[in-house]
Amino acid sequence: MTPGNNGASTPEDDDPFGYLYADGQANGAQPPSGGYGYPNSVSRVRTVGDRPRGQQHATYGQAIPPQQGGPGRASAHYAAPETYPGGAQTTQQPIPGTQGGGRGRGPNTKGLLIGALAVVAAVVIGIGVAMLNSEGDDDKAGGDTTPTPTVTQSGEPTPSDSGSPAAEEEELPAIDAKTLLLGGGARTASDIKGAQADGGFYVTGFNAVGASVTWNVNGIPESGKYTLYVGYGVPGKDANATLTVNGTAASTPVDMKNWANAPEGDYEKGWTKTYNYVQLNKGTNTIKISCEQGNQCDANLDQLWLVKGWVE
């Protein structure tokens, strides 16, 4: 025996479980009978890991019966029934919210799609409305804004009428009175302010019987109805004259009333306009305005122009 080592079971060997290992068994270690002070010494010994399934031991050699868990507490040694042969089968329940309808499911893609379509539709409608409004403004800006007079056959056009030489000169003829053929003592002048003709010129001396102005109109596009406008000024009182078209006197005179409401004797504030319906031929026509017996001709003549149709 090696000095200092008196055997596997001698006090020098302080490992009480040496008998469980190969080197201890080779040295002759035996299970203790007293346990080196351990109570309930091991009476039955099994190799480590060799324990029957389902049995638990508090001490070596003594099995503990299954214990029931207390209220609300499972037994520490409980094994589920399905772990034993023939045990009850269980069905795994789906986790709430992972399938099916109701609360807790994933995003509502259908609702999101409907919402997106609604937004797109609103944008398209907004663009369409903006385009329609823009087209409406263009129509208003470029459309025909020429109003028509509301008086009947002869008289002053209302403020809504915009008939003027400037508006119609590209389509129908217009003329300043100073370039007309004058007769019977009619003459041109420019001392009274307010005349619209070029240079402020107008025809005066029209208040005597036989005074006249004649317009030989060229370029009438077609035979038909036309409206003759006459620019004039009166000294705060009404006047009239005779109209002759192509040698035929019209049944209605040129009515030169004091539409401007000028005070009597004030020619400068009496400038205004009137009109008559006429029937013209295609090509050249002769229009004459004259002071005849029975007329009140105290007026100055400014301009003459034509508008196609009988404007109402």
Side-chain angles (χ1 to χ4, degrees):
M1 179 176 300
T2 304
N5 184 356
N6 296 322
S9 300
T10 59
E12 291 87 352
D13 186 1
D14 58 357
D15 185 357
F17 301 103
Y19 63 91
L20 296 176
Y21 304 98
D23 54 350
Q25 294 175 5
N27 292 327
Q30 297 295 325
S33 59
Y36 296 102
Y38 291 91
N40 298 325
S41 61
V42 178
S43 60
R44 286 182 295 178
V45 178
R46 293 184 180 87
T47 305
V48 174
D50 186 15
R51 180 175 298 175
R53 184 177 182 179
Q55 295 183 5
Q56 300 290 333
H57 298 275
T59 58
Y60 291 97
Q62 187 174 12
I64 300 176
Q67 298 180 359
Q68 299 296 326
R73 182 178 178 182
S75 172
H77 306 289
Y78 171 77
E82 62 269 22
T83 62
Y84 295 97
Q89 299 295 322
T90 59
T91 302
Q92 184 176 5
Q93 297 297 325
I95 299 174
T98 59
Q99 64 180 4
R103 299 176 61 183
R105 62 181 180 178
N108 189 344
T109 57
K110 183 177 181 180
L112 293 176
L113 178 60
I114 293 175
L117 292 177
V119 172
V120 173
V123 172
V124 172
I125 292 174
I127 295 174
V129 171
M131 293 178 65
L132 289 176
N133 289 338
S134 177
E135 291 177 359
D137 293 339
D138 292 341
D139 291 342
K140 292 178 182 178
D144 182 11
T145 58
T146 303
T148 58
T150 56
V151 293
T152 56
Q153 184 175 357
S154 178
E156 182 195 30
T158 62
S160 64
D161 175 65
S162 63
S164 67
E168 302 296 335
E169 61 184 2
E170 293 184 359
E171 297 182 3
L172 293 173
I175 192 169
D176 288 344
K178 67 178 182 178
T179 62
L180 295 172
L181 178 60
L182 306 181
R187 64 187 187 277
T188 61
S190 61
D191 53 314
I192 298 175
K193 296 180 180 180
Q196 299 299 309
D198 184 29
F201 286 93
Y202 55 89
V203 174
T204 189
F206 195 71
N207 55 352
V209 175
S212 66
V213 294
T214 302
W215 183 19
N216 293 316
V217 185
N218 298 315
I220 300 302
E222 60 184 358
S223 299
K225 298 176 179 179
Y226 293 85
T227 302
L228 172 66
Y229 282 89
V230 179
Y232 67 94
V234 292
K237 60 182 180 180
D238 298 339
N240 58 65
T242 298
L243 174 65
T244 302
V245 178
N246 295 326
T248 302
S251 59
T252 303
V254 179
D255 192 3
M256 296 182 287
K257 291 185 177 181
N258 183 26
W259 301 114
N261 296 318
E264 187 173 356
D266 193 345
Y267 280 96
E268 185 174 334
K269 294 182 179 179
W271 292 106
T272 184
K273 59 188 174 181
T274 188
Y275 71 94
N276 283 77
Y277 292 152
V278 295
Q279 188 82 23
L280 301 179
N281 302 320
K282 181 178 179 180
T284 302
N285 294 262
T286 299
I287 298 174
K288 180 181 179 181
I289 299 174
S290 60
C291 184
E292 305 295 339
Q293 291 290 342
N295 292 140
Q296 301 294 325
C297 310
D298 193 1
N300 296 323
L301 302 182
D302 184 14
Q303 296 173 305
L304 280 71
W305 64 96
L306 291 168
V307 175
K308 187 174 182 179
W310 288 359
V311 180
E312 294 180 358

